[in-house]
Amino acid sequence: MAVLEIKTAGDPILKKTAVEVTKIDKRIKRLLDDMADTMYATAGIGIAAPQVGVSVRAVVVDVDQKRYDLINPVITHREGSVVDTEGCLSCPDLFGDVERAEKIRVKYTTRFHKEKEIEAEGLLARCIQHEVDHLNGRLFIDIAKNITKGKKTETEAK
Ligand code: NI
């Protein structure tokens, strides 16, 4: 377990499309645990592998004290639309308004090799959409409106 260095905007890895995880082995489990440590150490609620310099499709989110390790997440359904303020561990001190689907369904593989599909809404849905964007080389500042510096509102940094 380790707290890793977080790559910040401008690092080319954040612009790359991450590759699928093909084998869930010790290495990927350790990566997920290190990502979680890094996220908790920085008070984030979500983190994607490219943010710690590994361009693979793995995400950890923790909303309302429930941790999800999402391997190869795919959003299979989106419903509604809501605008709220976001931040990002890779964009320190920046906040902006992002339109996201209100409700989603996401399919993923667990660290125990199980295929799962869950429904999410509210902050969890927002967080998963933000992290899946990271896997596709997209940062929230690429799509946000009203970007401000150093003014944090209700949504925590991702
Ligand atoms: Ni982020």
Side-chain angles (χ1 to χ4, degrees):
M1 309 270 270
V3 173
L4 306 174
E5 186 203 331
I6 293 175
K7 306 291 177 187
T8 53
D11 191 308
I13 199 164
L14 295 174
K15 288 284 175 195
K16 277 176 66 173
T17 300
V19 299
E20 295 248 319
V21 174
T22 50
K23 200 167 147 218
I24 300 169
D25 54 10
K26 260 191 203 153
R27 216 169 52 112
I28 194 84
K29 289 178 187 179
R30 177 160 177 204
L31 172 66
L32 289 162
D33 290 335
D34 288 347
M35 285 164 60
D37 284 351
T38 307
M39 177 182 80
Y40 293 128
T42 47
I45 59 170
I47 191 164
Q51 292 183 276
V52 294
V54 186
S55 194
V56 299
R57 304 187 81 82
V59 160
V60 176
V61 300
D62 188 333
V63 172
D64 298 330
Q65 269 94 57
K66 186 161 162 50
R67 173 175 156 188
Y68 295 87
D69 291 358
L70 311 176
I71 298 169
N72 299 331
V74 177
I75 295 170
T76 55
H77 179 77
R78 296 170 194 262
E79 203 179 307
S81 156
V82 60
V83 176
D84 205 348
T85 307
E86 291 187 13
C88 178
L89 297 174
S90 294
C91 311
D93 292 331
L94 294 180
F95 298 92
D97 298 332
V98 183
E99 184 178 354
R100 302 277 187 196
E102 195 174 3
K103 263 186 170 177
I104 60 165
R105 263 206 301 275
V106 61
K107 203 171 71 177
Y108 62 96
T109 305
T110 71
R111 64 191 287 146
F112 307 109
H113 307 262
K114 276 211 175 105
E115 300 292 321
K116 265 196 141 178
E117 190 164 18
I118 58 165
E119 284 192 0
E121 55 181 65
L123 186 56
L124 180 61
R126 174 167 297 275
C127 187
I128 292 170
Q129 291 171 82
H130 175 114
E131 302 313 331
V132 170
D133 271 359
H134 274 298
L135 304 182
N136 295 322
R138 189 156 75 158
L139 295 175
F140 91 99
I141 50 173
D142 299 332
I143 53 171
K145 291 190 176 134
N146 308 319
I147 296 175
T148 57
K149 205 168 159 69
K151 209 175 89 189
K152 187 169 179 169
T153 53
E154 68 230 58
T155 305
E156 294 299 310
K158 300 169 190 81

